[in-house]
Amino acid sequence: MKMNCACMLLAVICAGSASNAVAVLRAHSSVELRAAPKLSSFDISCYMEKDPAGESGGAGGRSYRGLVSTTVSGFTCQKWVDDKPHEVSDKIKPVPDRKSKEGMEWGNGIGNHNYCRNPTGKKRPWCYTTDLNKEWEECEIPKCDVPRDWTGEAKMLGREAEAVGCRCIEHLHGLSLDGASALAMLGVTKDGKPCRCETADHP
């Protein structure tokens, strides 16, 4: 009788443990099945096709420091410091970014992470994948819009356009300019100099 009670008690405990184990496994699998959090446009960022003014070594996305870690086909990127499943080239070593008075000199952004980078001078950021059948692939990252050079464009337009606005005017909002200080006009002359009006008292 004592033996039967002990067996029954053990069976109840085991059953309880089994149900707990199943619950834990179910919870764990549901976490794994959840999709990875979607990156914001800030996290994705963009890559520069060419170096902007004041920067060097960042063309082709070498300066990319965003958080994208999947390729265009959806493969997960392998960490740059890992050698499995693919062996990282011996030529790929971390190179730090350097900031100086002359500007920014970009390194390669390689480290203990699996974010897309371009340490080898390919056309755009890429990574080694965690798939045995795909060694590496480019990443789905948008190009950065090249900022317009407003100052340069204004100078060019000033040289090309007729500078008729540089003629001196006699009245401004009904007030005579006689005896007034030289008035700086909007625009530039054909040679790029600012427009000026001169008066008899202030040449």
Side-chain angles (χ1 to χ4, degrees):
M1 183 68 180
K2 287 183 180 180
M3 190 68 172
N4 289 338
C5 290
C7 289
M8 287 181 64
L9 181 60
L10 184 60
V12 170
I13 292 173
C14 289
S17 298
S19 62
N20 287 341
V22 170
V24 169
L25 286 172
R26 282 180 181 166
H28 184 67
S29 62
S30 66
V31 169
E32 283 188 340
L33 290 174
R34 285 180 203 153
K38 190 174 180 181
L39 294 175
S40 68
S41 59
F42 178 81
D43 294 329
I44 293 171
S45 188
C46 60
Y47 77 92
M48 296 297 295
E49 206 170 15
K50 296 180 180 179
D51 283 326
E55 296 184 12
S56 63
R62 189 177 166 90
S63 62
Y64 177 73
R65 297 296 181 268
L67 305 181
V68 173
S69 59
T70 53
T71 68
V72 290
S73 301
F75 294 113
T76 300
C77 293
Q78 172 185 309
K79 278 191 175 184
W80 293 99
V81 295
D82 289 347
D83 283 328
K84 291 181 181 179
H86 304 289
E87 189 172 346
V88 176
S89 171
D90 292 336
K91 296 179 181 178
I92 300 178
K93 301 291 182 186
V95 178
D97 304 331
R98 299 182 191 282
K99 193 170 184 179
S100 64
K101 292 179 181 178
E102 288 74 32
M104 174 64 82
E105 183 181 346
W106 291 100
N108 58 20
I110 298 304
N112 186 20
H113 60 75
N114 70 333
Y115 302 133
C116 300
R117 296 291 183 260
N118 189 6
T120 57
K122 298 186 190 297
K123 290 184 178 180
R124 57 192 290 186
W126 61 277
C127 69
Y128 290 101
T129 82
T130 54
D131 189 281
L132 287 170
N133 300 315
K134 188 74 173 177
E135 183 180 14
W136 70 273
E137 192 173 42
E138 293 180 343
C139 300
E140 190 68 48
I141 301 168
K143 293 178 187 176
C144 297
D145 293 329
V146 179
R148 292 179 65 179
D149 181 10
W150 297 104
T151 304
E153 288 182 30
K155 287 181 180 178
M156 184 64 70
L157 286 171
R159 292 190 184 99
E160 292 177 355
E162 293 293 332
V164 294
C166 287
R167 295 174 184 165
C168 294
I169 56 176
E170 295 180 359
H171 296 85
L172 179 65
H173 298 295
L175 299 175
S176 173
L177 293 178
D178 293 339
S181 300
L183 176 68
M185 304 288 292
L186 293 175
V188 292
T189 60
K190 285 185 179 181
D191 59 357
K193 295 179 181 178
C195 296
R196 295 266 179 203
C197 276
E198 297 178 356
T199 63
D201 295 337
H202 296 83

